[in-house]
Every structure is written in C-alpha cells, then in structure tokens.
Amino acid sequence: MIRALKKLQTIYFCLIRINWIHFFRLYDRNATTILWYYPRFRKKFYMQSVERDFAFIAGFLKNNEPFRIYFGRDIGKFHHKTIFYSVTKYYELFGFDNYAEILHHISKQLESQGNRVYPTSHETLFWENKAFMHEEFDRLGINSPKTKIIRSLDALHEVSGFTYPLLLKEPHSSSSMGLYKVHTPEELRSTIESQQLFLRNETLLVQELLNIRKDIRITTVGEEICSHYWRINQQKEWSSTATGYGSKVDFEFLPESCIPWIKETARKLNLTTAGFDVTWQNDDLTTPPIVLEVSPFYQPNPPADIGNHGTYGAYKKKLLFRNSWDKRFVDIVFDLQISTVTYFLQKNRT
C-alpha cells in the first residue's frame, strides 16, 4: 500500500513540474524528436522510473524542442529522427540473463537507420555489464580495482595472483545483487558451483577487495559534475555501501583533487551522463582515486535532512508529505534529465 501511495505521490510531483501550456504549444505530431514510451514495458509499476519520462518532456520544453510521444511497439519504422527512450530491464521480454543486450540492439538498429538515439548504442554497452565496463577501464587506462574476467571453472587458475578475501561478481546485476565475498580458493569454486553461476552468466568477474569503508557517487553530464554524495559503511568489516544496507550518506565534501580526474575519465568514456562510484585505497584521499563502477543509467540520491527517520535508506522508504524524499528525488531527476537532454541536443546539432 505504501509503495503504491509513494508512486502516486511521485507522479503528482512530476505533473506539477511540467509547464502544460508550454507542452501543448510544443507538442507536434509531425515533430522529428520522439519520446518513445511503450506501456507494455511498464507492467512492473512499482519498479519503473516514470519520473524520467516526465523529465524528458521537461527537457524538451526547456530547449523549446518540438516533440511527440510514440506509444507503439514498432519503433523500427522511424528513420532520420531524434529518439529518446528510458532504460529498463523489462524491455527484455524473453527472460534472458543478459537483459541489457536488447537495449544495445534497439539503439544500434535505430542508429543504422540514420536516427540519433539516446541512449546511444555505445552507452547501452555499459548498462549493468561489468565485464565490458572493466575491459574499457583497462583499454583506456582508467584506474580501477584489479579484476579478472573468467569464462569457465577451468579458468580459476588464472586468479592465483589474487589475495583473499576477494569479490566475485556477476556481470549483469545492480544494487549489490550478484555480489559475493569469498575467503579462500575453495570457497570461490564452491560458490560458483553451488549458485550455478555459469548457467546464467557467460562470464564472471573476480576482483580484489579494497580496504575501504566509504565511496563517493559522482554524477556527470558531459564532463561537468552535477551532484555527489558519500556512502559511508559504519561497520568495522567491509560491506556494500548501498543505502539499502544502512550506509550513512554525506552530501558535503567533494575532494578537489578528484575533480579534474573525473572530468578526464568522463571524456575518455564518452557518456552523455554517468554515475561514477569512486573510492581511495585505505580511504586515503592523498592516493590516486579508483573508480569502482560507472553507469550511464543510475538512481541519484537527493540531499535531505533525515531527522529522526533513522538511516537514509529507511528515510527513502517512508511516505511523507513534509520533507518528502519522493519530492526531492523528482526534483533531482528533473534537473539531471533536463541537463542531459540539453547536452545531447546541443552535441548532435554541431
């Protein structure tokens, strides 16, 4: 019940952010800029980020960009258009483990027909595909944890140089799902076998475990930093810093030394917008920054005074009418999406 009310509250906050008079002035059934919205993919109502679709519209309005919304399944009929669509795993209708691949196929096919597409086919390769992401980090010389991609149990001998404990990761996952901490070579093998990981993954990632208790999420549009926040694990032992695990969230401090590095890294990766998870070995900010992960599709967390609501993760789940997390979330999503649309349109006009 609370989830449904929070979703309805979110939709209300989206509706009041739209200038509807401007909407009807710019809406044009013959416009070459298209927002593709396929309702069938929205069957997981609670899990869909509808605020991003509303925010796309706000981006068009901000740029005085005539647009139309297309609800059909046959998006492939369009040629030489500018097409925006939201990212969701539910575009994969057939239940394949690599649900991200369908997005790459959609964008690549649309681009082959002369369309300018957001997200681009290049960007979709980074979405919840840790194997490709780390291959790109290595290719571009981006500092990241030591990582080995393995394709079978027979390849476990290739990780003999790693120090235990280490992390085992499934490539197509998010929010700390598909993440295992293993302490011995025997546990590494038994985890893969008992969880049958190679039955649903072509590859697995074995990664060094850094000595850290915090990381910083930095979001960019182009090369510009738009927001940041620390996630701080308050336990003595390593654990995921995702807010759902009870991490403390701090929005204040952005290390100055990190700014040029993030800008350069964003330029190398060539992503319209991105969420970077960055840390430092031993939490020592005088050492080189290390990027844990990057994604062109991310959920931002807005600054908030959680008061007596417990952890930030607990505060996010509450239905509030004053100091509402949902209102703050809609605002930051709109701000980021408007910047993203603006950047994409300007880049593709030059």
Side-chain angles (χ1 to χ4, degrees):
M1 182 64 175
I2 289 179
R3 293 176 72 191
L5 290 173
K6 282 174 66 67
K7 181 60 72 172
L8 290 173
Q9 183 176 243
T10 294
I11 293 173
Y12 167 75
F13 291 136
C14 290
L15 290 172
I16 63 175
R17 279 289 306 254
I18 301 292
N19 183 331
W20 292 101
I21 294 175
H22 199 192
F23 174 96
F24 289 111
R25 286 175 178 168
L26 280 180
Y27 194 87
D28 181 354
R29 288 185 295 179
N30 297 311
T32 59
T33 295
I34 298 168
L35 173 60
W36 180 35
Y37 187 91
Y38 185 22
R40 183 176 176 182
F41 295 140
R42 299 309 199 267
K43 61 183 179 178
K44 299 287 187 178
F45 177 71
Y46 299 113
M47 303 178 70
Q48 296 308 310
S49 188
V50 294
E51 58 276 359
R52 287 184 172 84
D53 295 297
F54 282 107
F56 270 135
I57 295 172
F60 302 147
L61 301 184
K62 179 71 173 180
N63 287 276
N64 290 311
E65 180 77 11
F67 71 97
R68 56 174 156 155
I69 302 173
Y70 185 69
F71 292 94
R73 183 175 186 175
D74 53 341
I75 191 66
K77 70 180 183 180
F78 290 110
H79 296 71
H80 306 290
K81 302 291 191 291
T82 300
I83 300 173
F84 292 79
Y85 71 96
S86 287
V87 169
T88 166
K89 67 188 294 183
Y90 300 107
Y91 278 85
E92 173 49 76
L93 299 178
F94 306 102
F96 292 118
D97 295 317
N98 186 358
Y99 49 81
E101 179 63 25
I102 188 63
L103 297 181
H104 177 65
H105 176 75
I106 289 170
S107 289
K108 188 173 182 179
Q109 293 302 310
L110 287 171
E111 288 168 348
S112 73
Q113 296 175 183
N115 297 294
R116 295 174 295 187
V117 186
Y118 178 80
T120 67
S121 59
H122 168 71
E123 289 166 332
T124 57
L125 288 171
F126 283 87
W127 184 57
E128 297 185 10
N129 187 343
K130 295 179 176 62
F132 175 81
M133 177 186 69
H134 278 283
E135 288 173 342
E136 284 296 280
F137 288 164
D138 291 342
R139 183 180 72 84
L140 296 169
I142 296 171
N143 194 27
S144 62
K146 179 182 177 183
T147 302
K148 182 66 180 179
I149 299 170
I150 59 173
R151 291 175 169 80
S152 69
L153 279 170
D154 293 336
L156 285 180
H157 69 277
E158 299 177 12
V159 302
S160 58
F162 281 72
T163 300
Y164 288 82
L166 51 74
L167 299 179
L168 174 65
K169 296 182 177 182
E170 297 182 60
H172 306 293
S173 59
S174 63
S175 301
S176 298
M177 295 184 290
L179 174 64
Y180 310 86
K181 181 181 178 182
V182 295
H183 297 82
T184 64
E186 294 74 23
E187 185 181 357
L188 174 61
R189 176 178 288 272
S190 66
T191 299
I192 295 173
E193 291 178 329
S194 64
Q195 299 295 323
Q196 299 183 315
L197 297 184
F198 275 120
L199 288 183
R200 60 175 182 266
N201 299 284
E202 292 183 0
T203 62
L204 295 171
L205 290 83
V206 177
Q207 187 173 94
E208 69 171 320
L209 179 63
L210 301 176
N211 180 31
I212 58 173
R213 296 296 178 271
K214 61 183 178 181
D215 60 50
I216 185 171
R217 165 67 59 85
I218 302 175
T219 60
T220 60
V221 174
E223 297 176 26
E224 297 304 312
I225 295 173
C226 297
S227 66
H228 68 275
Y229 60 90
W230 289 94
R231 298 175 297 192
I232 303 169
N233 169 21
Q234 301 186 84
Q235 305 175 43
K236 292 183 179 180
E237 297 295 324
W238 177 92
S239 70
S240 168
T241 57
T243 56
Y245 287 75
S247 292
K248 178 183 176 182
V249 181
D250 185 334
F251 296 88
E252 297 302 320
F253 173 59
L254 176 63
E256 289 290 333
S257 60
C258 181
I259 295 175
W261 181 81
I262 279 290
K263 289 176 176 285
E264 175 64 14
T265 302
R267 185 193 64 76
K268 287 181 177 180
L269 292 172
N270 189 29
L271 300 174
T272 304
T273 184
F276 292 88
D277 293 340
V278 180
T279 193
W280 288 258
Q281 181 69 288
N282 301 317
D283 297 325
D284 181 357
L285 300 185
T286 66
T287 61
I290 302 169
V291 61
L292 299 173
E293 293 190 359
V294 64
S295 178
F297 319 110
Y298 51 85
Q299 176 175 299
N301 276 315
D305 178 9
I306 65 174
N308 60 356
H309 297 297
T311 65
Y312 190 91
Y315 166 66
K316 288 169 64 173
K317 297 176 182 178
K318 293 190 176 183
L319 176 65
L320 301 170
F321 299 98
R322 292 184 178 180
N323 192 28
S324 166
W325 182 87
D326 301 283
K327 172 63 166 61
R328 295 172 183 269
F329 179 66
V330 166
D331 286 341
I332 195 171
V333 167
F334 267 63
D335 292 343
L336 285 167
Q337 201 80 320
I338 289 170
S339 296
T340 298
V341 170
T342 300
Y343 177 82
F344 186 86
L345 291 174
Q346 290 177 350
K347 182 179 180 180
N348 284 278
R349 284 172 180 156
T350 57

